[in-house]
């Protein structure tokens, strides 16, 4: 992997990741941009103890531009783009409309391909490995920033999820706090350790492998399953067979094995509802251990992939019980979801 670091016209960092050592990235950003002004602040919900980010400046962010004005496409034909080169492989840059910035974290955009119409599932295994290496590199860099406690790499796909730029991309958040979901998981891990002397992630994966009914696919280095108490209609958790706390700790064997497994899962998601249905909307999220936590080795790196579509033409909405009380109700039995995901295995 070759990494080239440069800046955009307003001083934001831009990083190219190339699979070829001879790639040259010299294009400059000609746009007359002013410096990014962010008014992010983090407030504490006193009733729950959860941090809430207030970022009112994001109301002005780019919203469903026409394809010929996509800011994530390469800068060709006079297009004003966040990526000045005429072509690229994988690129990362600071978000111009960040939720977190100015000493309270950082938000980055990751473009997986310069092809406006391609999805992640269309990528080659080589490109997918390059994305994994970029996620790992950014995790290392962002975790070293002052005040950063957790690095979160994720992809939102589909208008049903709330995506405003259809070009295939993800984001990376460097949180100056431990996210509420992770904090809750850490408490459960600690309780399990005190009660049994064992690791919760290890026991969870071992139980799923022994039961087998919710397993979607397995390889020498990865296990994918629908969780016993899945929140979402179709939800898969992907764990490395050797528990590690973060992307940095994955060994080469697991890295080499990741691309075919992940691409297979994404392609199965697109087959779930039949060939006459639009692409399946999903969220794909890496869960990594917080940095600076003395107990972080007990945390298990894993990826959670889920869709809000529960049937053809029907979505799972977070209504009164979920949004109001955080009490999830799932319309699809996890064992049935796993069976369906096995049935739609690609040829």
């Amino acid at each position: 992997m070759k990494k080239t670091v440069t800046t955009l016209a307003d001083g934001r960092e831009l990083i190219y990741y190339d699979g070829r050592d001879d790639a040259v990235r010299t294009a400059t950003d000609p746009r007359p941009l002013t410096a990014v002004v962010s008014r992010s602040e983090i407030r504490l919900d006193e009733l729950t103890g959860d941090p809430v980010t207030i970022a009112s400046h994001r109301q002005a962010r780019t919203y469903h531009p026409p394809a010929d004005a996509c800011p994530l496409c390469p800068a060709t034909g006079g297009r004003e783009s966040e990526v000045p080169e005429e072509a690229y492989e994988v690129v990362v840059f600071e978000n111009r409309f960040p939720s977190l910035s100015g000493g309270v974290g950082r938000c980055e955009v990751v473009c997986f391909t310069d092809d406006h119409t391609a999805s992640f599932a269309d990528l080659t295994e080589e490109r997918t490995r390059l994305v994994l290496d970029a996620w790992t590199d950014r995790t290392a860099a962002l975790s070293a920033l002052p005040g950063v406690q957790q690095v979160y790499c994720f992809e939102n796909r589909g208008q049903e999820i709330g995506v405003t730029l259809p070009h295939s991309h993800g984001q990376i958040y460097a949180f100056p706090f431990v996210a509420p979901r992770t904090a809750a998981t850490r408490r459960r891990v600690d309780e399990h350790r005190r009660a049994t002397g064992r690791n919760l992630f290890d026991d969870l994966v071992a139980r799923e492998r022994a039961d087998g009914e919710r397993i979607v696919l397995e390889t020498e280095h990865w296990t994918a399953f629908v969780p016993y108490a899945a929140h979402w209609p179709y939800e898969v958790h992907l764990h490395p067979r050797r528990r590690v706390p973060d992307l940095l700790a994955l060994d080469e064997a697991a890295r080499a094995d990741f691309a075919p497994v992940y691409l297979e899962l994404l392609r199965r998601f697109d087959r779930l509802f039949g060939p006459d249905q639009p692409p399946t909307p999903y969220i794909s999220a890496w869960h990594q251990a917080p940095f600076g936590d003395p107990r972080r080795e007990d945390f298990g790196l894993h990826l959670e992939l889920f869709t809000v579509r529960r049937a053809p033409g029907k979505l799972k909405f977070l209504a009164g019980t979920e949004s109001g009380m955080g009490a999830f109700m799932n319309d699809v039995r996890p064992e049935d979801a796993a069976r369906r995901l096995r049935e739609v295995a690609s040829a």
Side-chain angles (χ1 to χ4, degrees):
M1 179 185 76
K2 181 178 181 181
K3 176 181 174 181
T4 306
V5 182
T6 184
T7 56
L8 294 167
D10 53 10
R12 287 177 295 135
E13 191 172 33
L14 171 69
I15 308 165
Y16 295 97
Y17 293 91
D18 289 286
R20 303 185 339 265
D21 288 337
D22 60 349
V24 177
R25 303 299 186 185
T26 58
T28 58
D29 183 5
R31 297 173 297 170
L33 298 179
T34 58
V36 172
V37 176
S38 170
R39 293 177 294 277
S40 297
E41 59 176 307
I42 296 171
R43 300 182 181 182
L44 190 70
D45 182 335
E46 293 183 89
L47 294 179
T48 65
D50 294 342
V52 177
T53 301
I54 310 297
S56 58
H57 61 281
R58 282 177 51 79
Q59 287 280 32
R61 67 187 182 275
T62 307
Y63 187 81
H64 292 299
D68 61 359
C70 174
L72 306 185
C73 286
T76 58
R79 180 197 306 270
E80 288 197 345
S81 171
E82 293 281 64
V83 189
E85 291 285 346
E86 294 187 352
Y88 64 82
E89 293 187 52
V90 176
V91 69
V92 176
F93 57 86
E94 290 182 75
N95 198 324
R96 183 162 174 78
F97 302 97
S99 300
L100 303 165
S101 63
V104 288
R106 175 157 153 154
C107 294
E108 298 182 339
V109 176
V110 186
C111 295
F112 307 131
T113 172
D114 60 7
D115 184 344
H116 182 77
T117 62
S119 69
F120 201 119
D122 296 323
L123 301 184
T124 63
E125 291 185 8
E126 292 75 18
R127 178 63 59 84
T128 301
R129 171 59 189 264
L130 187 60
V131 174
L132 176 63
D133 290 343
W135 282 330
T136 305
D137 181 73
R138 296 315 301 154
T139 295
L142 294 175
S143 65
L145 295 178
V148 169
Q149 295 189 44
Q150 187 174 8
V151 178
Y152 175 48
C153 307
F154 64 101
E155 179 192 2
N156 298 332
R157 190 242 205 154
Q159 290 192 37
E160 300 92 334
I161 298 295
V163 174
T164 58
L165 295 175
H167 191 118
S168 183
H169 73 288
Q171 299 182 64
I172 305 176
Y173 276 30
F175 288 122
F177 50 77
V178 177
R181 169 70 183 277
T182 305
T185 301
R186 286 199 319 178
R187 289 193 292 272
R188 294 287 296 166
V189 169
D190 290 346
E191 290 167 2
H192 190 81
R193 175 69 74 183
R194 288 194 296 269
T196 69
R198 299 190 304 271
N199 180 270
L200 177 60
F201 287 97
D202 292 347
D203 284 359
L204 177 66
V205 175
R207 185 192 70 191
E208 293 297 342
R209 293 186 65 211
D211 179 274
E213 190 175 8
R214 288 174 297 276
I215 294 290
V216 175
L217 62 86
E218 282 192 284
T219 69
E220 183 180 356
H221 301 287
W222 295 89
T223 300
F225 59 89
V226 177
Y228 175 76
H231 290 191
W232 301 95
Y234 292 92
E235 175 181 346
V236 174
H237 292 192
L238 178 63
H239 288 251
R241 294 279 285 271
R242 182 179 69 86
R243 175 173 49 85
V244 294
D246 53 39
L247 289 166
L248 300 171
L250 279 177
D251 61 25
E252 177 54 32
R255 291 179 183 281
D257 198 30
F258 171 74
V261 173
Y262 186 51
L263 291 173
E264 174 68 14
L265 287 176
L266 294 181
R267 291 163 185 167
R268 291 192 193 188
F269 262 57
D270 275 344
R271 290 181 171 87
L272 274 172
F273 304 104
D276 60 334
Q277 292 295 304
T280 301
Y282 65 74
I283 291 176
S284 178
W286 281 110
H287 291 251
Q288 305 194 75
F291 289 89
D293 181 354
R295 306 182 310 279
R296 69 187 313 271
E297 295 300 323
D298 249 3
F299 194 91
L301 167 77
H302 64 286
L303 182 142
E304 297 186 8
L305 173 67
F306 62 89
T307 179
V308 297
R309 186 176 290 163
R310 58 185 175 87
K314 298 178 181 179
L315 298 180
K316 163 68 176 178
F317 292 101
L318 297 189
T321 58
E322 290 93 352
S323 293
M325 292 300 291
F328 272 74
M329 297 183 182
N330 193 346
D331 301 303
V332 179
R333 188 168 176 265
E335 292 75 15
D336 295 336
R339 182 173 61 252
R340 177 61 182 156
L341 282 160
R342 291 192 298 268
E343 290 172 351
V344 297
S346 61

